[in-house]
Amino acid sequence: MTLNDELFAQLGDSGLQQIAGLLGTDTATARQVVEASAGTIVGGMATNAEDADGAQALRSALDQHVDADPFNGDVANLAKDGQGILGHVLGDQGTEQAAAGISQFAGINSNTIMKLLPLLAPMVMSLLANRASKQNMDAGAVAQDLDQEKSSAMSGGLGDLLGAVLGGGGAGGLGGLLGGLLGGGQQAPQQQAQPEPQRQPQAAQGTSNPDW
């Protein structure tokens, strides 16, 4: 079972309906947005974990989320926690770019996507934390697991979208916007726009990650 499968199992029909209400759309579209958003978050984690220090920082951060219950928590606290996670995973500018790409895909205002991403990030973090704890994963095992999750997300029904968001897609609207964000974009026009979001996650890797 993938992290996305676990996420939807935890959300249930009522949770998905609430997200659809937040997005102002139907549940089918909401499901696609959640898949794309969670896939982007997982992809960002996987990219950070490619570096040994980043993997270790993430593994340490997971211990802080083992007993968390983001599926029944206060929305304000959930969003605050999610902002911290997204800051480490994508950086502020990277999160905005991811929201813009998902917005293009789903036809939903990017500001609305920006409200959803911080809510989903702690959920993904908690699911990964529980998996790592149950399976006694070290940093290397977490990195490998995230890489498999990233590959699984990109091979699913949203492969074209996630391929672009996670850096595996070719040139195109999403590829041009987000391809370099998570390490896969090679287009020259993106070279000046991308250094800041690339640096932000790496800067967080060497810290104690108090906001994870």
Side-chain angles (χ1 to χ4, degrees):
M1 181 179 287
T2 67
L3 286 173
N4 254 347
D5 292 334
E6 294 180 38
L7 176 61
F8 283 115
Q10 288 288 338
L11 284 173
D13 291 339
S14 62
L16 191 59
Q17 288 170 359
Q18 290 180 31
I19 291 175
L22 171 67
L23 298 175
T25 187
D26 56 74
T27 54
T29 301
R31 184 180 183 90
Q32 290 185 319
V33 173
V34 170
E35 287 178 343
S37 300
T40 300
I41 294 167
V42 168
M45 289 180 176
T47 300
N48 276 267
E50 289 175 0
D51 174 80
D53 290 339
Q56 187 58 58
L58 174 59
R59 181 64 189 90
S60 297
L62 291 177
D63 289 336
Q64 304 172 28
H65 290 76
V66 172
D67 296 325
D69 185 10
F71 296 94
N72 294 289
D74 176 74
V75 173
N77 289 332
L78 188 66
K80 182 179 178 181
D81 185 26
Q83 291 287 1
I85 293 170
L86 291 172
H88 286 286
V89 173
L90 299 173
D92 292 339
Q93 186 175 345
T95 302
E96 292 176 0
Q97 290 180 306
I102 296 168
S103 172
Q104 289 181 17
F105 158 72
I108 295 173
N109 188 283
S110 62
N111 289 332
T112 305
I113 303 295
M114 285 290 289
K115 295 179 181 178
L116 177 64
L117 286 170
L119 301 180
L120 293 179
M123 297 178 185
V124 174
M125 192 79 169
S126 176
L127 293 172
L128 181 60
N130 290 332
R131 177 185 292 185
S133 177
K134 290 178 181 178
Q135 299 182 20
N136 295 316
M137 293 181 178
D138 60 13
V142 169
Q144 183 177 16
D145 187 62
L146 282 169
D147 186 63
Q148 292 174 348
E149 286 284 344
K150 177 180 175 180
S151 297
S152 175
M154 291 177 67
S155 65
L158 294 174
D160 290 342
L161 170 70
L162 293 180
V165 172
L166 302 182
L174 283 173
L177 178 66
L178 295 170
L181 174 61
L182 299 177
Q186 301 297 324
Q187 296 94 337
Q190 308 306 319
Q191 291 176 354
Q192 293 182 354
Q194 294 305 323
E196 184 62 22
Q198 286 177 340
R199 286 201 305 267
Q200 290 176 10
Q202 293 173 2
Q205 291 171 359
T207 72
S208 59
N209 295 288
D211 298 325
W212 270 91

